[in-house]
Each structure stands twice: as structure tokens, then as C-alpha cells.
Amino acid sequence: MMVAMDTAPRTMTLPAAMAVGPAPTAGPTGVVFDVKRGSAEDGPGIRTTVFLKGCPLRCAWCHNPEGLDPRPVLSVTPGRCVRCGACVDACPEGAITLTEDGTPVTDRDRCAAAGRCVDACPTGARELLGAAWSSAALVDEVARDRPFFEASGGGVTFSGGEPLAQPDFLLVCLRACRDRGLHTAVDTSGYAPRAVALAAAEAAGLVLFDLKHPDPGRHARFTGVPLRVIVDNLRGLDAAGARLWLRVPVIPGVNDDAEARDGFVALLGTLRHRYPVWLLPYHETAAAKYARLGRGYGFEASGARLAESVSALAAALRAAGNDVRIGGDARA
Amino acid sequence: MRDRVARLRQASLARRPTISAERALLMTRFYREEGERHAPPTRRALAFRRLCEERELYLGPDELIVGERGPEPAATPTFPELTCHSLQDLEVLATREKTSYAVPHEVVDAYEREVIPFWTGRSLRDRVFASVAEAWLRAYEAGCFTEFMEQRAPGHTTTDGKAFRKGLRQFLAEIAAARASLDPERDPDATARLEQLAAMDAAAEAGMRYAARYAELADARADEEPDAARRHELRRIAEVCRRVPAEPPRDFHEALQAYWFHHLAVVTELNGWDAFNPGHLDQHLGPFYEAGLRDGSLTREGAKELLGCLWVKFADQPAPPKVGVTAAESGTYNDFVNINLGGLLADGRQGANEVSHLILEVAEEMRLLQPQCNVQVARDTPDALLLHACRVIREGIGYPALFNADVVVAELLRQGKRLEDAREGGTSGCIETGAFGKEAYVLSGYVNLVKLLELALHDGRDPRTGAQVGPRSGALDALATFDDLFAAWDAQLRHLVEVKLHGNAVVQALYAEEMPAPYLSLLIDDCIAAGRDYNAGGARYDTTYLQGVGIGTLTDALSALRRHVYQTGAVALPELVAALDADFAAVEPLRQRLVNRTPRYGNDDPAADELMRRAFDAFFDAVDGRPAPRGGTYHIDMLPTTCHVYFGSVTGATPDGRRGGAPLSEGISPVQGADRRGPTAVLRSAAAMDHVKTGGTLLNLKFSPRALEGDEGLARLAALVRGYFALGGHHVQFNVVDAAVLRAAQQRPEEHRGLLVRVAGYSDFFCDLGCELQDEIIARTEHARA
């Protein structure tokens, strides 16, 4: 997959109007597409993960396609639909029509993602993903699980999308969490201006830093952005003494070959410090999400030899002195 | 597991519960021959003596701990003086699909010839139904509440350390002292007290006689035993039975046998709910264990072998057979022995010791239906014990349950117990809090909180039958605001509580007068000192509970009414009630809206949780602190056993989108599938209830086995427990089993006989559960992550 290349990472501007979401009360506003509690894979202990919307990468296998666009996006789960037709009447754009058997079909080009059909839908088949949150409301929300954070050594993880793409909001949230004694982590692709990456690492208790591919050409080809920015940021954080966990999604046909393996080992060998390395094996659960967004999942991978690739990469990294752990989810 | 224990366990698992007529016949003959000659306390003591003297004894191969409730293991006695099974009942017991009992034809003969003719109209159950008010019967038949004492005696009873420190001869001395201190000239009750004390005296003697018979039997068997090793064991059994329960136990073996004799006496004398319980068994056994290791008379494996022998004893006593509504509210062979581990000592230090771990190991290896155990987790309880408990839980057998020892103490203190009595307390049955060895804490019936909303939406009428069951609390047009509606529900609640309490007064008076429990009274302070029976208010603390069922369904139903009728106006109240009456026929979009677009309990949603608290507080206000007939006090519990299925079956469609007849929510758990924000959100919602105002709440969570893999999964589970307890939760327990496994077990039960699952406050064999209950457990939300 080739994407027009734009080597300078920028932060995104927020959409002007947000149709739904908790009313902004105080502090800067961010766009969030999920707040997931009790998460186990996004840092130590029991965590609440905040998914910030919008990502500059276009990873071929992306597992959170609803997080790519910074604007809210309509998601439709046909299995829940009872064909009542309420959405048709509710849509101000006339974007929804019924097939002969009463199934609603949405013309995505006409959909303005205003969310009227979501309000009208009795089943929750139609959802608008992406809501504006004030930092104060968000921090109140994530603080609700404090007793479980305290008992487990957990906390709050800001993920995405790409959380560094909403830097002002992210930094205010991180600092507010820190002021309230909540441990924080940032799960990033590393593709951001250097100052933003350093500031986030300074404000967060931990950075989960994703590495997709060690080869510049293949990295650009599979993610749409250059590797150099990411590696530079990694070295910058390494030099600054940031607390890092490195995370490698192991994707069949992308980075599970011997060359990539050697490349990962070499790349990590150039860092000043050793960090825990999490290998996140690819899984195929994202296809349903694409369908709900009215898109096809273009990525095809055979997971037949995935376990082997993961073990081989783990063994190579361990042989080079890295602390390697195998995780559950592969995100991009 | 040693071979001996493995053999005993296998034999136990292979047994089929069978009805024995032995006890029924002995009781019938005693009552017929001399029942009329004695006042009730003496009558009961002499009836118990007859059982102790004439029951057949069983001493099987490999046994080290001896004694059965019936003539042999799993031969289940009946209690015709409480409930006399009809021939139809026996037929039902023999043929029903789940929890059936083999009924040999000689049992049917004995019932037809002797038992039924004598007890008809005399049994307590017959007299209860003849004595209660018409309004009570109407509400009972509508399924507004159940009655615990229509087939079983008051129970939920647990010993403190005295059963392990004292012998019956010391109780006899205490009885003598109590008699001596009575002043018939000044105390108008002195005669009654003397009568009670004489009965306790006779019961203690009878208990010693039963043990002495076992000593004789063991010696006789030893005389004939060709194998030297077994001969030695039989001599040892004889020695132990000559010592206890007459005198205090001196070692680990004697301590276990002493408890077992007490247990058998209590569950033979009467048929109290939840059998009898050893309380803080690890704390009681700790000193014997340490002493045995010190003097070389005991090894760790030897202690586990003896515990294994005792475990089989519990397993071999299926719950006495229940029929009708009682079978529906508690359909299980489990008799709810629940052993406490960890917790606190009377002086406030944490109470876990090496025996706590020993017992967890035995529980995990044995995997029996009974006994079940729980860990009382205090702030100071070592993480090692909690993690050990979590490891056993991860095995998926549904126990040990986990309790918040600090909150249990707070609950008991709120009810007015002394601090040291509260700390020696704990939980028994499913989740019920009690001051062990000092309290009668008696569950009296489940209350169908959801049915009351159905009544409120029909002006007090039961739409199922058309009967006017509750008061006229307002026609629909009078329910103009949500507060009006809530007030109508509250009016139904208050009325039904009134009706139930009147019925309780009748039932408790019958027990106080007719069914003293003189042996149990020996073990519960201050029955001896007061010269009053356990069933007549002799315990130091006396509590009667009403148990609320369906708080999750009720909350979601109220929340749906508030949101869609009173806030958005999406549906008018008459239209909604018409939809309920039609069981949502042809209005699926409306039902979907109610299910999916309502703030629901279990999601840490303040809008829903505040409603839950409001309903809970109303239930608390209607019941808590009311005086109870034995001189005790009413409090509330929040647990269902299997009653959420029965109550659901008699409750029509509800405004949360639940279809008529479907099970209600279980315990204080959310409606099955309504919780969508993970376990921490469920725990926070549940903690929104003020648990200290209860005598116990029951919360179950279900995890997929993958969620708890590895040390990290275990640590997260422990952290969820610590977090919930920091928020003030009373109890939590986990099912760790794949839904696919449960579905396979439904299809091929023969391959899954040993599959234990958490039902409510206890585990049961999945294949012994009714189909509706199996489906309900499958429908519970399965959390993929801890």
C-alpha cells in the first residue's frame, strides 16, 4: 500500500463541531473514540485506556481503523439491526435507504456523521465513534478506577489513533493525571515532532513505543511514513532516559522474515539502554471493524506460521540480551 | 492426595443420593409412643436420644473419621415433624430430571403405612400453611416472597472455637451451674428454663452415647480385622470416639472427629438450613496442627489425609430433599457448608496460618460439591493467601469465595455486636454474616423486588392471575411523575413486607414452642446461661433476614421507565404497560430501545447506580431494625440461591426489555449481558450499594479462562478483589469457564459430570442444574480480561 509521503509529522486540528459526546466543561478539548476499562495489555497492572482519534500512519494491517480519521465516524453493526427504519427518517441528508428486505444502506459520501440516526436507532446498531471530551471530564472519568490501579500498580494509558497527534490535549491530561497521583502511559507510533515526543515522555510514567519495521523502505511502504522520524525520536527518548517499553506487532508478510528480525536486533543494539520488548502477534479480528465502517479490509495475511515467527524473533532478541515478552493484541 | 483419600473420594462421587426412612420411622414411633407425655423441650431431647441410641452405625473401609447422618453415606434422612413428604412428593423426588433421589420401595411402603398417616396435619409445614393469613397465601402463591421454614428449620448456624476447646462434660457443668443460679421464687420463667436446661442436658448425654457406640463398633471391628495396619487404625478410631465429644480434643484427629460429631448431632436433631458450620476452621485447627508437628505425632501430609477424610464426610450428606417452591428457590444437593479461612482474630490481628493453605490445597484436590470454603480477606491478610485462593479459583470450581473481612466486621458492629464477637464472626451459607457461636441469624424468605414493580404497574393486581395481591397503589394515570411511580413500588414493598413479617411471627412462634433444638443450644452462647432454646431467642444475638432478589433487573426497569417514559417521552406509560402485558409482541423496536438505550446497572453509570441505591435504601428502610418475634431484629441480605430463576418464572415482561418468565438478575450482579464496560465497572456499580447496611451481598463475575492466564492474570484477579474491597464490597466470586464448555455440557452431560460452576453463593455440578439456570449462567457476561 502506497500513501503519499509527507515526511514532517504535524499535529492535527480538531474538527470544528462535535455532534455528540460529554459536554466540554473545562480545559482543552480532545477527540476520543473509546475509553476502555480493565485493559491488561497497555502497560503494567489494571489500566484504563483512552483512545485518541486521528493517526498520521496508514499501516496496511491497521487494527483500529476507526481511529484513523480525526473526525467522528459512523459505525454500523448489521447483526443488531431490527429493520425498523427509524434511521431513514432521522437522517437529514437522506443518506440512508432501505433495501427490499428492509435493511438500511448508508451512502457514506452523503453521510455527515451528525449522529441523528444514532439517536434514533433503538438497538445501538448505529454508533458514532469519536466524541469531544474536555480534559477535566476525561481525567474524572479515568480516575474512577483508581482503587484498581492502586491495587494492581496500574493506571491510565493514552493510545489511539496516535495520541501525540493531539499534543496539547494529551499533555494537559497527562499532567492532570500526574497531579492526581495516577500512573500514566502513552502508547505511540513515535511519529511526532521531537519536542512533542519528549514532552509526552516527560509527563508520562511510561512510553509504549511501537516499532513496525526496521527497514526504511519497507516501513514507508507498509505504514506510509518514514522510519527516520520514528528512530530519531526513539534515540532522543533513549538519550533523555525515558521509561520505555518497545512494542513490535509481528505481522505475517510484513516484518516476520529473517531480514526484519536481524534489523530489529541491530536497531535495538544501537540504543544506550535496554528496554522490555513486547511482541504482539497479529490477529484477524479487525476485519469486522472495517465492515462496520463501510470499508473493506485490504490486508491479507496468513497466520499459519505466526507462532513460529514470533518465537524466532523472540529468540533472536533474547540472544542479543533483550527482555522479551509475548503480548496479546497487535495494534498499529 | 493419599491413596486412602482417593479411594474414599471415588466412592463418594459414585454414590447416588437416596432417601432413607430410618429417621422418619424412629421419629414417628417415638412421637406415637411417648410424644404426648413430655413438654416440647424434653420431647425433642428424648427424640434425639432415641436417634442416637437406635440409628444404624456405618463404619466403612479406609475411614478415619466416622459418623453419618443416615444409615450409610448419601442415605438421606427425612424430617416428617417439619415436612412430611406425600407419596406424590416421593414420586417427584424419584423421577424429576434434576437433583433426584433414589426412593427405594420400602421407603414408599413405610411412608404409606406409618409416616404419612401419623404426620398429616401434625407436621409443622401443614400447621404453617393452616395458620398464616389469606393475604400471606395470596402473596406467596403469586411469587412475591418465599418461606424458608416451611420445609426446613432455622439454621445458618456456625460454631466458634468452643467446639474445639470444650467437651460436652463442660457443657453439662455449665448447665448445672445455670440450674443452680435459677431462683424459682423470683423468676416466673424459672420452670420453663429448668425444662430447657434439662433438655440440653439430655441432648448432651445422647451425643456422648452416639460417640460411645462408635467406639464400641470400632473395637468390635478391630477384634475381627485381619490386617494389622487397619486394626491399629480401628483401635485409634475407638480411642478418639471414647474421648470426644465428651472431653476436649487433644490433637488434630480428635479435633476433626469432635467437630464431626457436633455437626451430625445438629443436622440429625433438626434440619436447619445450611447444615452446621465449623467457622474459622484454620484458626481452630492451627494450635493442634502446630503441636502435632512439634511432638512428631502429625505430618503435613497426615493432616491433609485427615482433612480429606472429613471432606468426604461432608460430601456424603446430600441436602435433605426439598419439594415445591423450596426446591425451586434452592434446587441443589449442596447443604451449604462453608468453611471460613483467613479473616481476623478476636484481638484484631489477621488470622491466616499454615492450615489455611492446607485447606485450600485439600479443597483444590478434592473438588467436591461439599464442603465449600471461602477466604475472609482483611486489609492485613497476606497476599500469599489471596493469591493461593485466586489460583484455586482459576481452576474453575467456583470456590473459594472471597469476603471482605473488614466489612463483615463493620456489618456486625452496625447491628450492635461486640467488637471481639464481630471479629470471631464471618460468613456462612452463601454469603450471610454472623457472629459465630453466638448468634441465631435466620434467613426467612426471598423477596421478589421485581414482582413488586409489576404489581405497582397494575395497581396491586397480579397480571398473571388477575388476583389483587398488593394494595391499590395508583392507576397508571395517577403515576404522573417518576417519583409517583417509585412511591407506588415502595407502597407495594411496604405492604408485602408487612404481610411477610406477620407470617414470620406465626412461623417463629411455632418453632419456639414446638421445635426446640437442645443440642444446637449447647453450642451457641448464651442459650445455656439464659436457659433458653436457640429457636426461642436463647442466642446472644438474634437476627432474622429478608433477602432481596433482582436488584439489577429492578434498577434497569426503573431506569428504563425514567428515561423513556418520564424523560424523553419516547413511550407513554399505558403503551409500555400494554407492551409488557403482551410480552413485547410486535413491538421489538421498543423492546430494543429499552434494552439498549437505557442507563443500566453494572456499567459504573451514576444515573443507573443512583437508582439502584434508591431502591436498595427503600428495601433497607422497610425492613431493617424492625423487631422480630424471638426478641431479635430484622435486617436485609442480598442473595438469591436459585430463587432468581423461580421469581423470574412468575414475573411477566419488565420495562428493561426482559421477557416474561426469564430469570431475574442474580444476587447484586447486573442483568445478564447488561454490563458492557468490563469488570471494574461492574465492581464500582456494585460498590455503590452501602454493603455495611446488609448482612451480606452476593456478586458473581464470569471470566474466560484466558483472562486469568499466567502470574499476571492471577495478580490482576487479586487486584480486582482488593480494589472492590477497598470500595466497601462484601463478597465476590468468579466463574472461570468457557461458555463453549458449558454448552457442550448441556449437550453431553455424561462427559461433564464433574464440572463445578458458581451458581449464586455456592458452586454446584453444572449438570445437576435446571435447564433455565444453566442457560442463565451461560448468559452472564463473560469478561475477556481481568
Side-chain angles (χ1 to χ4, degrees):
Chain A
M1 177 170 123
M2 291 297 292
V3 178
M5 227 163 273
D6 174 4
T7 58
R10 288 182 311 242
T11 59
M12 288 176 298
T13 48
L14 295 180
M18 288 291 153
V20 293
T25 51
T29 304
V31 188
V32 171
F33 66 93
D34 201 4
V35 178
K36 194 166 191 252
R37 294 164 67 158
S39 116
E41 310 271 350
D42 299 324
I46 294 172
R47 307 194 73 80
T48 295
T49 303
V50 177
F51 293 87
L52 297 183
K53 203 152 155 40
C55 183
L57 277 66
R58 290 294 178 270
C59 301
W61 61 89
C62 176
H63 277 195
N64 285 338
E66 73 276 34
L68 292 173
D69 191 325
R71 294 164 302 181
V73 56
L74 179 70
S75 166
V76 181
T77 310
R80 291 194 200 161
C81 176
V82 291
R83 299 171 186 174
C84 65
C87 51
V88 177
D89 302 334
C91 180
E93 314 293 335
I96 309 172
T97 51
L98 295 182
T99 62
E100 273 183 23
D101 70 350
T103 305
V105 178
T106 308
D107 180 349
R108 296 268 172 176
D109 292 336
R110 291 170 71 182
C111 172
R116 302 280 172 74
C117 63
V118 173
D119 293 340
C121 177
T123 68
R126 305 179 80 83
E127 298 166 278
L128 202 59
L129 304 179
W133 284 74
S134 73
S135 59
L138 184 63
V139 174
D140 281 347
E141 174 69 16
V142 298
R144 297 185 75 86
D145 272 352
R146 176 193 295 276
F148 305 102
F149 302 158
E150 287 175 353
S152 67
V156 185
T157 298
F158 292 87
S159 180
E162 171 48 64
L164 299 187
Q166 297 186 45
D168 297 343
F169 179 67
L170 175 68
L171 289 172
V172 168
C173 290
L174 287 172
R175 287 169 187 147
C177 285
R178 186 172 61 190
D179 290 347
R180 292 170 70 161
L182 301 173
H183 177 269
T184 54
V186 171
D187 176 17
T188 177
S189 67
Y191 189 72
R194 171 74 65 93
V196 169
L198 285 171
E202 195 277 324
L206 175 70
V207 175
L208 311 176
F209 198 105
D210 296 0
L211 289 171
K212 271 94 177 182
H213 207 291
D215 174 73
R218 290 173 70 84
H219 189 279
R221 185 177 145 213
F222 283 113
T223 70
V225 301
L227 177 62
R228 184 182 50 76
V229 174
I230 292 170
V231 171
D232 285 353
N233 278 334
L234 178 58
R235 293 192 203 290
L237 294 177
D238 181 42
R243 288 159 300 259
L244 295 178
W245 285 8
L246 305 178
R247 310 219 293 181
V248 178
V250 184
I251 313 296
V254 173
N255 62 6
D256 64 337
D257 53 305
E259 250 184 288
R261 196 153 66 225
D262 295 344
F264 279 123
V265 171
L267 173 58
L268 267 51
T270 65
L271 299 177
R272 292 187 194 178
H273 305 99
R274 294 288 180 199
Y275 304 100
V277 184
W278 288 80
L279 304 186
L280 311 177
Y282 169 81
H283 59 71
E284 293 181 340
T285 55
K289 281 189 185 178
Y290 283 84
R292 290 200 289 271
L293 301 176
R295 297 166 48 181
Y297 186 36
F299 187 73
E300 279 186 37
S302 156
R305 298 179 52 206
L306 182 60
E308 264 171 62
S309 322
V310 171
S311 323
L313 180 54
L317 288 167
R318 283 185 183 125
N322 295 289
D323 167 16
V324 180
R325 305 166 199 185
I326 315 286
D329 286 347
R331 295 210 187 77
Chain B
M1 193 189 305
R2 284 189 175 169
D3 290 349
R4 174 204 309 277
V5 177
R7 286 193 299 268
L8 287 169
R9 177 177 178 276
Q10 275 311 322
S12 175
L13 289 173
R15 287 187 182 108
R16 166 142 199 244
T18 304
I19 302 290
S20 160
E22 181 190 53
R23 187 186 181 284
L25 285 170
L26 286 171
M27 292 307 283
T28 304
R29 288 167 194 166
F30 171 82
Y31 266 73
R32 200 170 54 212
E33 289 158 15
E34 53 178 308
E36 301 299 318
R37 279 196 260 136
H38 311 285
T42 306
R43 184 191 304 152
R44 292 304 301 169
L46 295 182
F48 177 63
R49 187 174 74 188
R50 172 137 345 165
L51 292 171
C52 289
E53 285 175 342
E54 298 192 13
R55 285 161 65 200
E56 208 173 303
L57 302 185
Y58 172 89
L59 204 174
D62 285 322
E63 288 197 321
L64 297 177
I65 306 290
V66 297
E68 298 292 332
R69 193 176 195 175
E72 58 182 26
T76 310
T78 56
F79 296 73
E81 68 270 42
L82 300 180
T83 180
C84 181
H85 295 103
S86 66
L87 293 179
Q88 294 96 305
D89 288 340
L90 295 177
E91 174 76 16
V92 167
L93 290 172
T95 56
R96 67 187 175 195
E97 193 188 350
K98 305 289 180 171
T99 60
S100 68
Y101 293 75
V103 184
H105 63 84
E106 58 268 24
V107 172
V108 178
D109 288 348
Y111 260 75
E112 190 167 19
R113 204 176 56 246
E114 276 195 67
V115 181
I116 293 172
F118 182 78
W119 289 105
T120 301
R122 278 196 178 93
S123 79
L124 224 61
R125 185 185 194 211
D126 290 356
R127 293 167 66 184
V128 164
F129 284 114
S131 311
V132 291
E134 161 73 19
W136 188 98
L137 283 171
R138 262 204 314 271
Y140 177 82
E141 280 158 12
C144 295
F145 52 69
T146 65
E147 172 50 58
F148 260 50
M149 260 62 78
E150 56 114 3
Q151 291 178 40
R152 300 195 66 169
H156 295 89
T157 307
T158 304
T159 185
D160 55 6
K162 74 168 81 65
F164 298 84
R165 280 195 317 268
K166 292 182 180 180
L168 288 172
R169 294 225 164 82
Q170 277 163 285
F171 295 135
L172 289 176
E174 290 171 18
I175 291 169
R179 279 170 159 159
S181 71
L182 282 176
D183 182 352
E185 289 177 16
R186 296 202 170 167
D187 179 359
D189 294 333
T191 311
R193 290 181 207 272
L194 283 170
E195 176 79 33
Q196 298 284 5
L197 289 167
M200 293 181 210
D201 193 296
E205 294 285 355
M208 290 193 282
R209 178 71 198 119
Y210 181 68
R213 288 180 63 210
Y214 259 107
E216 291 155 18
L217 176 65
D219 267 335
R221 291 279 177 85
D223 292 342
E224 299 162 8
E225 176 61 50
D227 179 74
R230 181 61 182 161
R231 195 160 59 238
H232 179 74
E233 287 170 3
L234 288 164
R235 295 284 181 223
R236 173 68 182 141
I237 291 170
E239 182 195 354
V240 170
C241 294
R242 273 191 295 273
R243 170 78 190 180
V244 295
E247 301 294 342
R250 294 166 299 190
D251 61 26
F252 198 84
H253 187 165
E254 289 181 356
L256 295 182
Q257 183 68 62
Y259 173 75
W260 188 243
F261 277 136
H262 289 312
H263 183 97
L264 287 177
V266 171
V267 302
T268 311
E269 166 179 68
L270 272 175
N271 176 20
W273 277 99
D274 298 353
F276 191 55
N277 289 272
H280 291 283
L281 189 59
D282 53 350
Q283 297 181 16
H284 302 325
L285 293 177
F288 297 109
Y289 179 71
E290 294 299 330
L293 291 190
R294 251 194 329 270
D295 67 20
S297 63
L298 188 70
T299 62
R300 196 174 193 282
E301 283 309 303
K304 281 179 69 175
E305 179 177 55
L306 284 163
L307 286 168
C309 290
L310 180 66
W311 253 237
V312 169
K313 286 286 155 192
F314 284 113
D316 279 339
Q317 322 303 323
K322 294 161 274 194
V323 293
V325 170
T326 296
E329 77 175 2
S330 176
T332 175
Y333 294 127
N334 193 340
D335 214 11
F336 304 108
V337 170
N338 204 337
I339 290 166
N340 285 234
L341 305 173
L344 297 167
L345 303 172
D347 63 11
R349 288 175 299 150
Q350 77 81 22
N353 59 31
E354 180 59 18
V355 180
S356 321
H357 292 280
L358 227 55
I359 289 176
L360 283 177
E361 288 172 26
V362 170
E364 181 180 356
E365 291 166 10
M366 299 296 280
R367 289 168 188 254
L368 294 169
L369 178 66
Q370 318 185 74
Q372 301 191 3
C373 57
N374 66 73
V375 174
Q376 303 278 318
V377 182
R379 212 178 38 242
D380 294 338
T381 296
D383 282 337
L385 183 65
L386 175 57
L387 286 169
H388 190 173
C390 288
R391 270 202 305 280
V392 181
I393 288 166
R394 191 167 60 181
E395 293 296 309
I397 53 180
Y399 59 78
L402 300 171
F403 287 89
N404 187 344
D406 301 312
V407 162
V408 167
V409 168
E411 291 162 12
L412 289 166
L413 289 177
R414 191 198 71 80
Q415 296 176 355
K417 273 94 174 171
R418 299 206 288 253
L419 180 59
E420 56 273 26
D421 292 351
R423 285 173 175 158
E424 280 192 287
T427 54
S428 66
C430 290
I431 50 78
E432 301 88 294
T433 302
F436 292 168
K438 300 163 191 81
E439 182 176 13
Y441 48 112
V442 175
L443 273 61
S444 69
Y446 295 112
V447 177
N448 188 343
L449 298 172
V450 183
K451 183 81 188 178
L452 303 181
L453 180 63
E454 187 175 39
L455 295 181
L457 290 172
H458 295 85
D459 203 10
R461 200 171 45 78
D462 181 0
R464 232 162 45 100
T465 61
Q468 187 73 32
V469 172
R472 292 189 169 278
S473 54
L476 293 185
D477 55 8
L479 307 178
T481 67
F482 180 74
D483 286 344
D484 294 338
L485 174 89
F486 193 89
W489 174 79
D490 195 38
Q492 297 295 337
L493 171 69
R494 285 177 181 275
H495 172 79
L496 266 301
V497 166
E498 231 38 66
V499 171
K500 173 66 178 156
L501 262 51
H502 274 111
N504 281 0
V506 171
V507 176
Q508 294 199 0
L510 276 171
Y511 272 95
E513 180 59 31
E514 301 285 336
M515 286 297 157
Y519 195 98
L520 175 58
S521 300
L522 297 168
L523 293 166
I524 306 297
D525 301 335
D526 303 307
C527 294
I528 295 176
R532 268 172 94 179
D533 188 82
Y534 175 88
N535 282 343
R540 182 176 302 169
Y541 309 109
D542 198 292
T543 302
T544 306
Y545 282 110
L546 288 189
Q547 308 98 248
V549 175
I551 188 85
T553 302
L554 174 70
T555 300
D556 289 0
L558 289 171
S559 181
L561 284 161
R562 184 167 68 175
R563 170 62 54 98
H564 303 293
V565 174
Y566 295 104
Q567 286 176 346
T568 70
V571 58
L573 188 57
E575 187 189 336
L576 175 57
V577 173
L580 300 180
D581 291 344
D583 202 16
F584 296 114
V587 287
E588 185 60 12
L590 170 62
R591 197 186 76 84
Q592 288 290 338
R593 179 167 294 280
L594 298 170
V595 169
N596 293 298
R597 308 306 298 264
T598 296
R600 299 184 73 178
Y601 171 69
N603 295 287
D604 193 20
D605 182 333
D609 295 351
E610 169 264 322
L611 268 183
M612 180 279 288
R613 221 170 17 238
R614 188 169 166 188
F616 168 82
D617 284 340
F619 181 48
F620 173 85
D621 289 341
V623 176
D624 187 78
R626 303 278 301 267
R630 293 184 304 258
T633 311
Y634 275 102
H635 298 296
I636 61 168
D637 273 331
M638 302 297 283
L639 79 153
T641 315
T642 58
C643 204
H644 58 299
V645 176
Y646 162 65
F647 277 168
S649 74
V650 295
T651 305
T654 41
D656 60 331
R658 173 190 149 278
R659 293 187 193 280
L664 306 182
S665 60
E666 166 270 329
I668 62 166
S669 308
V671 168
Q672 301 77 358
D675 47 327
R676 297 173 183 180
R677 298 206 65 201
T680 62
V682 176
L683 294 170
R684 276 194 57 98
S685 282
M689 178 180 287
D690 189 352
H691 294 245
V692 175
K693 287 174 158 179
T694 73
T697 62
L698 189 153
L699 177 67
N700 282 321
L701 290 181
K702 192 163 90 177
F703 284 102
S704 71
R706 268 201 63 192
L708 306 180
E709 279 175 1
D711 288 347
E712 282 160 13
L714 211 57
R716 278 197 302 274
L717 185 66
L720 286 177
V721 174
R722 291 277 193 196
Y724 182 51
F725 288 177
L727 287 165
H730 169 91
H731 153 278
V732 63
Q733 183 47 282
F734 307 94
N735 260 320
V736 186
V737 58
D738 267 320
V741 172
L742 298 179
R743 288 199 197 92
Q746 280 188 317
Q747 298 303 314
R748 297 183 302 281
E750 64 284 355
E751 294 170 23
H752 297 85
R753 284 284 167 222
L755 178 63
L756 277 169
V757 296
R758 188 75 173 167
V759 176
Y762 66 103
S763 294
D764 207 339
F765 289 117
F766 185 74
C767 297
D768 284 343
L769 302 177
C771 196
E772 301 82 3
L773 188 54
Q774 290 182 340
D775 289 341
E776 187 267 324
I777 288 172
I778 291 171
R780 292 177 192 173
T781 307
E782 179 174 301
H783 296 286
R785 288 167 188 220

